[in-house]
Amino acid sequence: MANITKKVSWSSRGDDPAQGEGTPLLNGATEAARCTTRQFSGGNIFRIGRMSTVDLEEETNTEEDSVLSRPKEIPHNEKLLSLKYESLDYDNSENQLFLEEERRMSYMGFRCLEISRWVVCGLIGFLTGLIACFIDIVVENLAGVKYQVVKQNIEKFTEVGGLSISLILWAVLNSVFVMMGSVMVAFFEPIAAGSGIPQIKCYLNGVKIPRVVRLKTLVVKVFGVICSVAGGLAVGKEGPMIHSGAVVAAGVSQGRSTSLKKDFKIFEYFRRDTEKRDFVSAGAAAGVSAAFGAPVGGVLFSLEEGASFWNQMLTWRIFFASMMSTFTLNFFLSIYHGKTGDLSNPGLINFGRFESDSVEYNLYEIPIFIVMGALGGVLGALFNVLNYWLTIFRIRYVHRPCLQVMEAMLVAAVTATVSFAMIYFSNDCQPLGEDQAEEYPLQLFCADGEYNSMASAFFNTPERSVRSLFHNPPGSYNPLTLGVFTLSYFFLACWTYGLTVSAGVFIPSMLIGAAWGRLFGILLSTISSSTATWPDPGKYALIGAAAQLGGIVRMTLSLTVIMVEATGNVTYGLPIMLVLMTAKIVGDYFIEGLYDVHIKLQSVPFLHWEAPATSHSLTAREVMSSPVTSFNRIEKVGTIVDILSNTTTNHNGFPVVNELIDHNELGKICGLILRSQLIVLLKHKVFVERARSRLNQRKLQLKDFRDAYPRFPPIQSIHVSQDERECMMDLTEFMNPTPYTVPQETSLPRVFKLFRALGLRHLVVVDNENRVVGLVTRKDLARYHLGKHGLEEMQLAQT
Amino acid sequence: MRFSRDLDCHVCENCYIQYRNLQEIYHNISDQVGPTNVSCKDSLLRSDRLMLVFVLFDNLRDIWILSGCDRCVAEGLHSLTNDTLYYMAALNQSLSCFEKHQQQGNHSELCKDCKTTYKGLNELYSRMEKNKTLCIDIEDAMNMTRRLWSKNFNCSFPREETVPVIAVSSFMLFLPIIFYLSSFLHSEQKKRKLIHPKRAKSNNSLINIQDKYS
């Protein structure tokens, strides 16, 4: 898993060709003449069904040559795959070094390893809980200061006039906070933008997103989310917790910090992608658990996203991490609030307790809930479609960092303006009840003793507004207020997601859903005026929140459990599950979930659960890349260095074949070696000629490979002299002698299943004599998906 | 029209003496055992299934606690607290001011003249709220006064400066449109270079595929 020199980014800010070295193309212009491609269609979509009309055997003629020599450029769209994403090395390379280490480890050693895995998971939970606690406290204080200042200003100017100054003050405060957060993200670490859930989904899928689990990312993310929420944007702080949990897991499990250059010399066995990915799923679960107070929901979230490598012990450890996380958060927050041991804040979002007697639902309400679920699905699809077009616009046109910061500031100012205008023009005044704990009640133009109820929705952190919508007694909200609020907040939230700030989308969508859910409940109670008490609007607010959230993110199992745990009432399990299923079915008819949309827009080679249907007609032969660059078992150093330094092909895995007499023949497979392993060998100069002199020195151990992980030096930094180029290198000890292979005639679904279930990075395709004919990587498999007209193929692009 | 306080809640003011008496008597019910080996307390309080005496006393005590009268009446329930008396004085001042200007049909005079006394009253009330020295008497009186001020006399602040607020809001809302238009027109569109990877010549499998689709 070699990190090459160039700085790659998740955001729309791709690599400018002007800076750095030339970006590697995969068989671009120079090798055009040799390759026989299959498609020259003008559009981006290639129909497999029409393959019969294309003669695969024809040689490329000259006109096509010239077309190929200029790589085609198209505006960014969602049907592209980017070259910069590699797979994780989840599959273990069982070379001789590894087998020796395993033989040397005693039974006690294995037991110690198991125990240390548990210790690491506990630590992950503890640290994630602490980070969540920190975020919560700082946001509360910062937002409190801001609202206090604005409130005093408004109260002062209500009497003497000049409220437009209050508006400007509010907008400026918002912009300043958001500018700080946005500058950190846009200039220092663009991968920390957004909620982080798409990135972690991809990581658990096995894609190596560059820089996603670094310490710098964590710092920028925490700071960014604090600034975004304090800046009053229509965002939540729960999504970024998942990303933070994952980073904590990736960092703690390695026992060292590469950024801070400190090595604690523990957990050295875990310095591989296999262990790291398992710990990252524990970290993601701990993040969910800290965000919502839902440990089981966290485990199920990790399960839903990365279940291809599941086993029971892993589930148990992840559950342990989740529990530690929520318990730590609860404990430290109770200390902060002065009630040590109170343990009433299990998560960052607290929905409040739904008392069993006041929130019963009847059987005849279930169809109503299903209708609300369908409505949530439709609204969620609308949200996703609008956000999709906005994101495409942003990727194509707003890709410079200064523009991104400016856009974020503008959104913050407009959010303040819209909130202020709504509060100003609202005539809805309500007296303040005793149980409604409004922190910053605004009186504005209401009678004394009454407060502006629009302000209770807008002039608050979104979490508190959600809680009020769930629990306020019937009659606290005016239907018109709620309707206007829903509409404006919907568009604000849709506009805000995708900005270059760290922000989540869970709470805004819940707030939108709670608002229209409550409205629905109020309308129901006016229609059925027989008994005034049966539709409790708070219950409908909860169902509406679940419906809207399900319609936007389309998570089913984990979201049900999260909501059930967060409301503390299993009674609601059935309605919430029905609502989420309905929302998903209805929404999937129009467009995918928000996170999947963003994953597609970032051109990530994401592998779904199964190969697309109707793909049995494709075999490994059509899918693979061929011919393959391979090495002999004993290879000349110069050849190796040249192939590794070749910038036109960015291969990371090379089959190792038996000695070839004739170079046009294919060699028989005897192993697989990775670029990262070759670089370590070159760095330590493990040459055959040096073997005798090295007998006095130490032989190369697995530890040397682990020390270089994860940031392997690029080939350009390895200096090989002319004499050394003539030396030979023996790859037998270090290669993986038993790579997974498939025959050429294997169907695509079968190849897909093997690749996905085992978490492979390279799959060697052999013919019936075990000779290497091709190599299947993630990009080859992820190209195929089922479109409107049958099986379609996505194209590879430079991003 | 006189602004009497007859319609207000006067629980604490009027009833504290009687409540004190009730408490003394109740606490005096002795524990001594009588001739039939049953204590006085048991025979009075637990004589019937309803436990009427006990339940009634309990409810009265709940009302006393909920109304917060403990905060208005001094220790030992002998008199009202100084704070309460001061508040009542201020309240009477405001009410007499209202009465004086009540005669005219137009309330603008009233709003101007009585503003200072009313504001003083409000501030006193907020201070007492923060110190938690409020009881239902004071709250109710304040509520009534506020209603008079805002709803009957219409003295609360009118919405005057709609125009500047609309102007500033429209300006703020206009900024993003300009931003997006300018970035659409001036930024160069991000293009992606397509890559064509190496694939194998599949001659023998061509026949299979053509068979499937022909």
Side-chain angles (χ1 to χ4, degrees):
Chain A
M1 192 185 63
N3 288 348
I4 320 293
T5 42
K6 62 184 168 73
K7 184 169 163 198
V8 290
S9 61
W10 170 275
S11 75
S12 52
R13 195 162 54 118
D15 314 294
D16 294 327
Q19 51 173 304
E21 57 194 51
T23 45
L25 302 175
L26 186 61
N27 193 29
T30 52
E31 311 210 24
R34 266 196 2 238
C35 82
T36 321
T37 62
R38 286 173 299 163
Q39 69 272 33
F40 291 107
S41 55
N44 306 330
I45 301 169
F46 171 64
R47 312 273 156 77
I48 306 278
R50 295 214 207 117
M51 220 195 303
S52 52
T53 62
V54 174
D55 193 355
L56 287 176
E57 281 206 39
E58 81 178 15
E59 307 296 325
T60 57
N61 40 13
T62 42
E63 300 101 59
E64 286 158 349
D65 255 355
S66 57
V67 166
L68 268 180
S69 59
R70 243 180 312 114
K72 198 152 162 245
E73 284 203 357
I74 51 166
H76 180 93
N77 64 13
E78 61 163 10
K79 291 202 184 336
L80 295 173
L81 284 183
S82 171
L83 285 182
K84 72 186 181 200
Y85 298 114
E86 294 285 335
S87 285
L88 292 172
D89 278 318
Y90 190 71
D91 188 35
N92 196 8
S93 175
E94 295 193 349
N95 48 20
Q96 285 184 12
L97 298 182
F98 176 78
L99 292 175
E100 270 172 30
E101 189 194 57
E102 290 280 301
R103 282 185 211 118
R104 264 183 304 194
M105 230 193 310
S106 60
Y107 181 65
M108 274 312 294
F110 279 113
R111 299 284 291 182
C112 280
L113 262 185
E114 256 319 293
I115 294 176
S116 48
R117 283 201 185 100
W118 280 88
V119 167
V120 170
C121 282
L123 259 183
I124 290 172
F126 181 72
L127 288 174
T128 308
L130 279 184
I131 289 179
C133 194
F134 173 74
I135 291 179
D136 197 35
I137 293 176
V138 175
V139 163
E140 215 179 282
N141 289 330
L142 266 185
V145 162
K146 182 187 94 168
Y147 284 127
Q148 201 63 33
V149 166
V150 176
K151 179 176 163 182
Q152 279 168 358
N153 195 294
I154 288 183
E155 281 173 356
K156 190 170 76 161
F157 281 118
T158 311
E159 247 187 82
V160 303
L163 270 180
S164 30
I165 300 184
S166 297
L167 166 57
I168 295 178
L169 173 72
W170 192 358
V172 163
L173 273 180
N174 271 8
S175 296
V176 163
F177 275 121
V178 169
M179 181 186 79
M180 291 195 310
S182 182
V183 158
M184 284 286 285
V185 172
F187 286 98
F188 290 108
E189 194 56 80
I191 195 103
S195 79
I197 294 184
Q199 285 90 331
I200 296 301
K201 270 180 86 148
C202 292
Y203 194 92
L204 292 181
N205 191 271
V207 181
K208 182 172 156 285
I209 310 280
R211 310 175 69 89
V212 78
V213 286
R214 286 203 188 173
L215 183 63
K216 195 170 160 197
T217 312
L218 177 66
V219 168
V220 169
K221 192 105 194 172
V222 167
F223 184 76
V225 79
I226 290 175
C227 289
S228 310
V229 177
L233 284 179
V235 295
K237 53 188 193 291
E238 284 69 24
M241 269 319 299
I242 298 177
H243 192 178
S244 310
V247 177
V248 164
V252 163
S253 64
Q254 308 293 289
R256 66 168 168 190
S257 168
T258 324
S259 319
L260 300 176
K261 299 198 183 2
K262 273 188 75 63
D263 193 339
F264 295 103
K265 305 240 186 292
I266 51 172
F267 305 143
E268 282 177 1
Y269 188 84
F270 301 145
R271 294 180 192 176
R272 315 187 259 151
D273 272 346
T274 320
E275 303 284 344
K276 194 156 146 180
R277 183 172 151 190
D278 290 349
F279 285 123
V280 163
S281 52
V288 171
S289 155
F292 297 101
V296 182
V299 174
L300 290 174
F301 173 81
S302 280
L303 175 77
E304 207 171 320
E305 299 313 325
S308 74
F309 54 98
W310 216 246
N311 64 66
Q312 198 188 45
M313 280 311 283
L314 182 62
T315 316
W316 207 186
R317 282 198 297 269
I318 291 180
F319 189 54
F320 178 59
S322 303
M323 280 303 211
M324 283 296 294
S325 168
T326 182
F327 180 74
T328 312
L329 174 67
N330 215 342
F331 185 68
F332 281 99
L333 271 185
S334 69
I335 293 183
Y336 173 73
H337 287 139
K339 302 183 228 147
T340 310
D342 186 17
L343 296 187
S344 60
N345 293 59
L348 289 185
I349 170 84
N350 197 352
F351 292 167
R353 284 273 161 273
F354 277 84
E355 300 304 322
S356 306
D357 48 331
S358 69
V359 292
E360 297 163 342
Y361 60 92
N362 298 310
L363 209 57
Y364 52 81
E365 290 181 296
I366 301 256
I368 304 178
F369 292 158
I370 293 186
V371 166
M372 285 176 80
L375 187 57
V378 168
L379 286 177
L382 179 66
F383 187 99
N384 291 354
V385 165
L386 289 175
N387 197 276
Y388 166 76
W389 287 114
L390 190 58
T391 312
I392 286 233
F393 183 86
R394 281 179 178 143
I395 292 180
R396 287 189 189 168
Y397 297 103
V398 187
H399 42 80
R400 292 211 308 268
C402 11
L403 285 182
Q404 289 168 342
V405 172
M406 218 181 332
E407 190 189 6
M409 285 169 64
L410 278 179
V411 174
V414 169
T415 309
T417 309
V418 168
S419 312
F420 188 86
M422 296 290 153
I423 295 177
Y424 187 88
F425 288 111
S426 156
N427 280 327
D428 185 15
C429 297
Q430 302 271 355
L432 202 59
E434 250 191 49
D435 43 341
Q436 293 158 247
E438 298 296 339
E439 290 211 345
Y440 311 105
L442 273 185
Q443 189 190 333
L444 223 66
F445 302 118
C446 284
D448 289 332
E450 291 186 344
Y451 297 92
N452 193 321
S453 68
M454 191 70 100
S456 71
F458 270 111
F459 201 64
N460 252 322
T461 52
E463 283 92 354
R464 199 169 291 276
S465 306
V466 169
R467 192 143 48 137
S468 320
L469 281 169
F470 283 166
H471 292 287
N472 278 1
S476 352
Y477 290 99
N478 191 0
L480 183 63
T481 310
L482 278 182
V484 166
F485 174 74
T486 309
L487 207 60
S488 47
Y489 207 78
F490 182 88
F491 288 110
L492 273 178
C494 190
W495 189 20
T496 311
Y497 188 72
L499 282 178
T500 319
V501 291
S502 300
V505 82
F506 265 76
I507 289 301
S509 39
M510 289 187 75
L511 186 51
I512 297 168
W516 66 253
R518 196 165 175 116
L519 189 61
F520 202 85
I522 294 177
L523 289 177
L524 264 187
S525 63
T526 51
I527 292 176
S528 80
S529 42
S530 52
T531 341
T533 53
W534 76 262
D536 174 23
K539 177 173 55 172
Y540 282 85
L542 175 67
I543 298 292
Q548 182 69 56
L549 189 55
I552 290 181
V553 302
R554 311 278 168 77
M555 284 158 51
T556 47
L557 174 61
S558 43
L559 199 54
T560 313
V561 178
I562 287 175
M563 302 242 8
V564 161
E565 280 185 293
T567 52
N569 204 330
V570 186
T571 325
Y572 277 120
L574 180 67
I576 291 181
M577 185 183 79
L578 288 175
V579 158
L580 285 175
M581 270 165 43
T582 318
K584 183 169 168 72
I585 292 174
V586 170
D588 274 347
Y589 180 72
F590 298 103
I591 192 176
E592 299 166 310
L594 189 64
Y595 299 134
D596 300 306
V597 164
H598 277 259
I599 288 176
K600 267 181 138 172
L601 282 174
Q602 296 298 331
S603 314
V604 178
F606 192 83
L607 291 181
H608 293 281
W609 292 113
E610 289 167 337
T614 74
S615 57
H616 269 90
S617 51
L618 290 170
T619 64
R621 203 184 157 77
E622 279 96 42
V623 170
M624 68 190 188
S625 303
S626 169
V628 183
T629 315
S630 51
F631 292 131
N632 293 325
R633 204 192 269 266
I634 300 186
E635 185 67 66
K636 208 161 97 161
V637 172
T639 322
I640 295 181
V641 171
D642 288 337
I643 291 184
L644 286 182
S645 315
N646 191 357
T647 49
T648 55
T649 61
N650 197 11
H651 297 315
N652 283 296
F654 304 95
V656 177
V657 295
N658 281 331
E659 302 288 342
L660 289 174
I661 309 154
D662 181 2
H663 275 280
N664 285 337
E665 265 186 26
L666 303 168
K668 283 205 199 214
I669 179 111
C670 52
L672 184 77
I673 195 152
L674 300 172
R675 174 184 285 255
S676 51
Q677 292 172 314
L678 286 171
I679 285 187
V680 172
L681 291 178
L682 285 176
K683 194 166 115 174
H684 289 266
K685 302 210 185 300
V686 181
F687 306 143
V688 169
E689 286 80 358
R690 295 254 197 115
R692 251 168 278 129
S693 62
R694 266 193 301 111
L695 277 177
N696 307 329
Q697 298 169 19
R698 188 179 59 83
K699 257 184 69 169
L700 202 63
Q701 299 272 345
L702 211 50
K703 184 175 170 346
D704 301 298
F705 290 95
R706 292 205 182 119
D707 283 342
Y709 173 87
R711 297 185 213 178
F712 295 96
I715 185 64
Q716 287 79 5
S717 72
I718 310 277
H719 183 68
V720 181
S721 66
Q722 276 302 113
D723 292 333
E724 285 167 345
R725 283 177 64 97
E726 300 301 319
C727 296
M728 305 298 275
M729 205 145 78
D730 184 5
L731 301 176
T732 319
E733 262 186 274
F734 309 104
M735 68 183 186
N736 182 0
T738 50
Y740 289 104
T741 60
V742 284
Q744 310 185 66
E745 300 85 24
T746 320
S747 65
L748 174 62
R750 214 169 151 79
V751 171
F752 193 98
K753 206 185 310 193
L754 186 69
F755 199 91
R756 174 97 162 83
L758 293 177
L760 298 178
R761 191 176 180 188
H762 304 103
L763 185 57
V764 184
V765 181
V766 294
D767 62 7
N768 47 11
E769 289 172 17
N770 231 10
R771 295 179 301 182
V772 175
V773 289
L775 197 67
V776 173
T777 59
R778 175 174 280 265
K779 289 184 261 307
D780 302 316
L781 286 177
R783 298 185 277 154
Y784 297 100
H785 71 284
L786 211 53
K788 287 201 173 51
H789 306 276
L791 204 59
E792 287 174 1
E793 191 180 319
M794 296 199 267
Q795 292 185 308
L796 296 176
Q798 194 75 41
T799 56
Chain B
M1 190 202 316
R2 274 215 66 224
F3 288 108
S4 73
R5 297 192 52 225
D6 296 336
L7 299 172
D8 291 353
C9 186
H10 285 277
V11 163
C12 301
E13 246 180 294
N14 295 346
C15 306
Y16 70 94
I17 300 176
Q18 289 91 327
Y19 184 74
R20 186 187 69 211
N21 293 342
L22 174 67
Q23 271 210 314
E24 279 172 11
I25 296 176
Y26 187 83
H27 286 300
N28 270 342
I29 300 179
S30 75
D31 267 329
Q32 287 175 355
V33 182
T36 53
N37 226 6
V38 178
S39 73
C40 271
K41 210 170 187 180
D42 281 346
S43 65
L44 272 179
L45 298 182
R46 298 193 196 175
S47 52
D48 55 301
R49 173 175 65 94
L50 290 176
M51 288 176 53
L52 217 46
V53 178
F54 173 74
V55 169
L56 282 175
F57 176 75
D58 209 36
N59 285 348
L60 285 175
R61 195 178 52 182
D62 278 342
I63 294 179
W64 182 260
I65 292 175
L66 272 180
S67 60
C69 284
D70 274 331
R71 299 193 277 258
C72 282
V73 183
E75 272 304 306
L77 303 181
H78 286 291
S79 62
L80 297 173
T81 55
N82 283 340
D83 282 337
T84 317
L85 294 168
Y86 184 64
Y87 178 83
M88 296 300 176
L91 184 64
N92 280 334
Q93 246 188 326
S94 297
L95 285 178
S96 44
C97 177
F98 291 166
E99 253 173 81
K100 237 190 326 176
H101 297 267
Q102 173 49 37
Q103 281 78 22
Q104 302 125 356
N106 192 358
H107 295 298
S108 51
E109 283 288 321
L110 193 149
C111 290
K112 250 183 298 191
D113 291 338
C114 296
K115 191 167 176 174
T116 31
T117 32
Y118 176 72
K119 229 173 137 191
L121 188 67
N122 250 331
E123 274 162 26
L124 177 64
Y125 182 77
S126 320
R127 265 204 311 272
M128 291 175 77
E129 206 175 5
K130 236 177 284 190
N131 288 346
K132 298 202 198 311
T133 47
L134 286 181
C135 62
I136 188 69
D137 285 13
I138 302 180
E139 287 171 21
D140 206 45
M142 192 70 223
N143 203 6
M144 179 218 64
T145 321
R146 277 177 170 168
R147 226 180 304 145
L148 274 180
W149 179 262
S150 315
K151 299 238 166 69
N152 293 24
F153 302 150
N154 247 335
C155 287
S156 26
F157 315 116
R159 195 173 283 141
E160 300 176 332
E161 28 152 353
T162 318
V163 176
V165 170
I166 292 186
V168 175
S169 310
S170 346
F171 172 69
M172 294 281 202
L173 290 174
F174 201 55
L175 282 178
I177 303 179
I178 301 178
F179 173 78
Y180 282 121
L181 268 179
S182 69
S183 49
F184 177 68
L185 294 172
H186 291 291
S187 289
E188 44 172 284
Q189 204 187 86
K190 195 101 177 168
K191 297 242 200 250
R192 305 288 188 209
K193 277 196 274 240
L194 290 181
I195 310 292
H196 300 293
K198 297 188 271 194
R199 300 274 171 225
K201 278 197 263 208
S202 62
N203 31 17
N204 33 5
S205 51
L206 175 63
I207 308 167
N208 294 336
I209 295 169
Q210 275 186 326
D211 276 346
K212 285 185 184 105
Y213 285 101
S214 56

